Amino acid sequence: MNLAYLPSPSSPYLNLGPLMIHWYAVMVVIGVLAAVAIGQRRWTNRGGAPGVVLDIAMVAAPFGIVGGRLYHVITSWQLYFGPGRNPVEALYVWQGGLGVWGAIAGGALGAWIAARRRGIDFAALADAAAPGILVGQAIGRIGCWFNQELYGRPTTLPWGLEIDPVNRPAGTSDAATYHPAFAYEATWNLGAVAFVVWAERRFRLDRGRVFVLYVAAYTAGRGWIELLRVDPANHILGLRLNVWTSLLLFTAAIAFIVLRRSARLSSSVVTGEAAVPQAAVGPAAAEARERYAAPEPDQEETPPGGIRRSGDRLDGTVSTARSHP
């Protein structure tokens, strides 16, 4: 018998008088707001115009929700289609079921479209947004706690998660507590934030490498956490589909980082110059790149993680603010 455990909420709803709001939806919204706030701060610290991240998030968020739901429905189609199933429930996003892979892909597509229309460097935008996305994912995972989903194998550890009988998977109905996989993932994500920010400053990552490192860090944790889960899922060669997705994305992310670094080093050797930092975009892009490639004697060195010289904004406008890491 497990004498210590983590209880599950008695209801997945937030009761506000006549209104009943799903806690899952509340946590997703809070996560999005946190990601936008962090991304905006990082963007302006790099010389970007205020309000840009929020404007782009207004487009990216709906794309992300649609993409996340599509991934979930496609990879768990048996929950919504077939004998005894109600296909309309595929639209019930508030009940849980957002595939992070689809959410990131959809959100990235929406952000790319919005950034392209505004003449903004998408790679620089993605790098600024990456740590905030991890924080947002960590917050969003708390919604799984309210829905009593995303848990692992039965366990008697003191932090085991209590799951009501109606939500227990077949074959484990006698077990009362399970690994809180949602909490493991949330904790991993917060640790990945620290790692990504450290690596960005230590290795002066830019041109999309910060975002790709986020993908690598997240998938490294998601892979082993996915192996703990016992909820129904489609399998390929004995492994859950999301494990394969994690492996493929992790491999692709590491390959991108290595190849991009090799390309930058090769370019530096051929030209005999130091690698050029990521410059501003928009009308000032060419001028900014020339300034980086041939700095004036009194020009200050771009700080670690910086993107532009003082006076050049990421969207082509002019500012007197200094850049910060």
Side-chain angles (χ1 to χ4, degrees), residues 24 28 60-76 80 90 93 96-108 141 242:
Y24 183 88
V28 168
F63 272 79
I65 293 175
V66 172
R69 190 60 175 179
L70 281 175
Y71 181 89
H72 168 73
V73 172
I74 292 173
T75 58
S76 303
Y80 307 99
V93 178
L98 288 177
V100 66
W101 319 113
I104 296 301
R141 277 308 182 197
N242 281 334

Side-chain angles (χ1 to χ4, degrees), residues 204 277 292 299-309 323:
R204 301 176 65 88
Y292 275 118
Q299 178 177 334
E300 295 182 2
E301 180 182 359
T302 302
I307 297 179
R308 53 82 178 134
R309 171 181 170 175
S323 66

Side-chain angles (χ1 to χ4, degrees), residues 16-192:
L16 297 176
L19 298 178
M20 296 183 66
I21 303 175
H22 277 263
W23 274 109
Y24 183 88
V26 172
M27 301 314 299
V28 168
V29 170
I30 294 176
V32 170
L33 294 176
V36 170
I38 295 172
Q40 182 61 66
R41 181 178 179 82
R42 284 170 52 83
W43 180 254
T44 53
N45 283 348
R46 286 156 173 72
V52 167
V53 174
L54 177 59
D55 291 343
I56 291 180
M58 296 295 288
V59 178
F63 272 79
I65 293 175
V66 172
R69 190 60 175 179
L70 281 175
Y71 181 89
H72 168 73
V73 172
I74 292 173
T75 58
S76 303
W77 60 268
Q78 65 274 14
L79 298 178
Y80 307 99
F81 305 97
R85 298 296 182 178
N86 181 10
V88 177
E89 292 183 357
L91 303 176
Y92 296 171
V93 178
W94 54 88
Q95 292 184 359
L98 288 177
V100 66
W101 319 113
I104 296 301
L109 174 61
W112 178 81
I113 293 173
R116 182 179 177 83
R117 295 187 64 180
R118 298 190 57 162
I120 292 173
D121 187 335
F122 176 70
L125 178 69
D127 284 347
I133 294 174
L134 276 168
V135 173
Q137 287 179 229
I139 296 173
R141 277 308 182 197
I142 300 176
C144 298
W145 178 46
F146 289 94
N147 281 353
Q148 295 195 32
E149 60 184 3
L150 191 57
Y151 50 84
R153 296 190 297 266
T155 181
T156 57
L157 291 171
W159 57 83
L161 176 67
E162 181 186 35
I163 298 296
D164 294 338
V166 68
N167 294 317
R168 297 172 189 171
T172 64
S173 57
D174 293 337
T177 55
Y178 300 76
H179 281 282
F182 80 91
Y184 296 164
E185 184 172 327
T187 303
W188 179 275
N189 288 350
L190 295 179

